[in-house]
Amino acid sequence: MSDIESFKELKELLINQKHSDEDIALVEKAYKFAKKLHEGQYRVSGEPYIIHPVEVAKILAGLEVDTHTLIAAFLHDILEDTDTSPKTIEELFGTDVLNLVQGVTKLGQLKFKSKEERQAENFRRLFIAMANDIRVIFLKLADRLHNMRTLNFMEESKQKKIAQETLDIFAPLANRLGIYKIKAELEDLSLRYLEPEKYYEIAQLVAQTRTDREETVNALIEKITQDVQKNGINAQITGRAKHYYSIYSKMKRQNITFHDLYDITAVRVIVDTVKECYEVLGLIHSQFKPIPGRFKDYIAMPKGNMYQSLHTSVIGPRSKPLEVQIRTWEMHQVAEYGIAAHWRYKEKGSQKADNSADMKFSWMHKLVEYDKEMKNAQDYVKSVKLDLFSDQVFAFTPNGDVLDLPKDATPVDFSYRIHSDVGHKTVGALINGRIVPLNTKLKNGDIVEILTSKTPSPRLDWLTFVVTKQAAQKIKQWFKKNKREEHVALGITNLEHELTKAVFDEYMKSGEFETVAKIMNYQSAEDLFAALGYGETTVNKIINKIKKPEDKKPQDNFHTSNKKGSAKDIIGLEGLLYSFARCCSPIPGEPIVGVVTRAKGVTVHRTDCKTLETIPPERLMNIRWAGINTNKTYTTTIRIETAEKLGLLKDIISAVSDNNTNIVNATIKTKDHVGIIEIGLELDNIDTYKKVVACIQSLPDVYSVKRIQSSSNMMKKSSSNKSNYKPKHNNRN
């Protein structure tokens, strides 16, 4: 088809869309201007170059964009491929058109170290331009789609490179913007060049099974049509095969064959109102058995790209499973055209549609934020791909606001997405009302409540599990700014005090602290000392990881590596093998007694431990704490009885956190309308324990707080690399 015939088709399309004569004349002016400038230029296919901008304009007309975007479609390669100046474009077509053209123009004469660096900078500019004006990405997507349609004229290496780039950047971007029509075609075309054997295999299988599928689908459509007509509902009902790439992805993701898929074809029902959507759903479920777990209500809970529909899978005619999608006409427009449909409503002055959709697409503003934080264009593009174009998880705040996060995001990622201050003050999290570790992976639909302290206290080990660049960047920035030198000096002082300066210097010289740092997931010994200084780890944890000299006595090795103490902790046990009893979990500062065992040396108990009632007096030893070392921690368990009151758990956790005390595990249950909360605390001495208990007892609706006995297999010390909170579901007596 010649460019003249192609432009004629475009003109007829604009007339049908009721563009004014004046607007059509401006579009034709841009076409003639571009044709003159591109005269003598040809594409790889041998076609005159002007064919490309005309086809791009036709794709955009299908999205019903505004006149300026159509004009920019004809001019989008002018600045790069001709000698035309930006001033000329501005004089002929206005500032708005010039801004659109410059938004999609590649970097021409700037020098870069590599092709990768140039391409990264191109994408950075594109994303920033997109954040400022969404029409820029409409242009770029249409440009890429036509290039993919004619990719067969390129050599194979370029085909694969462009297809991979399309799959990595442009198809996910179209998906985030909800433009299904473009997203699906980009994915299918990419698959054709990246996995040609798979592409043609799926195409052949879809064609071979078409007749059988159509018979089943038509039978379902006929039945639904009869039911909706009886109930006075006006509906359009169609069947469509899913696009090849979605079939390929599902086969790969679930590791199944084509013949194991049952939702290759979907039936779509389009009605006039939301009420009718649910009525049709009821009619379908009354006639066909729904498949459990396959119903999704995207009307009540829309996707992040504004997509709305009811999805259900049923056992249809001939006992064949089929997917049914039910939506209104307005939802259908948004499902096909995404933000392009919203943008049209905005142009028509619908402020309501504008506000709601702007909330959905607030992620675009992050494109500008990322640009300020990243050092170079390649880091920027990598972060955008990771945070914006990976599989998404949609989680809710307690107030019902939805936040979109990458797959495998955690409550810490969630807290930093709310605000940096919230992230820095995070001490715990509730998901769907239950306390969870901070490294828990969020799922779609989770309601997440972040528990915060009064003062910022982020942890470096969060970096081992956060997945958003935003969270990682903010955590690193906080530690870089907040008294690092003081923390390092304090950490060194604490270690020198425990080991003696001579031993400390010996370990420094041998590089032992560098080794320990790597074992404990720190980058360097200095990072390790800093973590000790600001309380993220303890002296005991570090000493436990140090490789002991071979000439040490066995019992000395045991004392130093014992989970809860060293030979300096307790008077009366010098030179003896000993450990701390888990049943009563003694804390420095309270009365203790030693129990001689047959195989494990001496076990240290509290003097009020119930297990002592069965111990013969001759096995007991008089011992006492040597002093209080605040660099070491000891675990004990308390039971709190409360009224059944929403939010009380949050207050209790805050009370514990305000006393700089760590929670290592927690269980929650209800008995006879009384809430029972059992919490494992990591404490340095009995005075801290008393302060924590006093704070909890002062809370309204707390009936009692008492320390409890634990069975030997119940209380386990949490690893330094685990989250603060570890809920358990077994009941203690």
Side-chain angles (χ1 to χ4, degrees), residues 36 47 55 63 79 118-119 131 190 232 307 313 365 395 407 421 427 464 483 503 516 522 527 593 602 604 691 699:
K36 182 179 179 182
E47 296 176 323
E55 290 299 319
L63 297 177
L79 294 179
R118 173 186 290 276
Q119 187 69 323
S190 297
Y307 177 88
S313 292
H365 300 300
K407 182 183 177 183
D421 286 343
V427 294
T464 64
K483 304 179 181 179
V503 175
V516 172
Y522 295 106
D527 289 341
V593 64
V602 179
V604 180
K691 289 177 183 176
L699 295 173

Side-chain angles (χ1 to χ4, degrees), residues 485-502:
E485 294 78 10
E486 292 180 24
H487 291 144
V488 172
L490 180 59
I492 291 173
T493 299
N494 289 340
L495 275 171
E496 287 180 341
H497 177 75
E498 181 68 20
L499 295 170
T500 74
K501 191 175 189 311

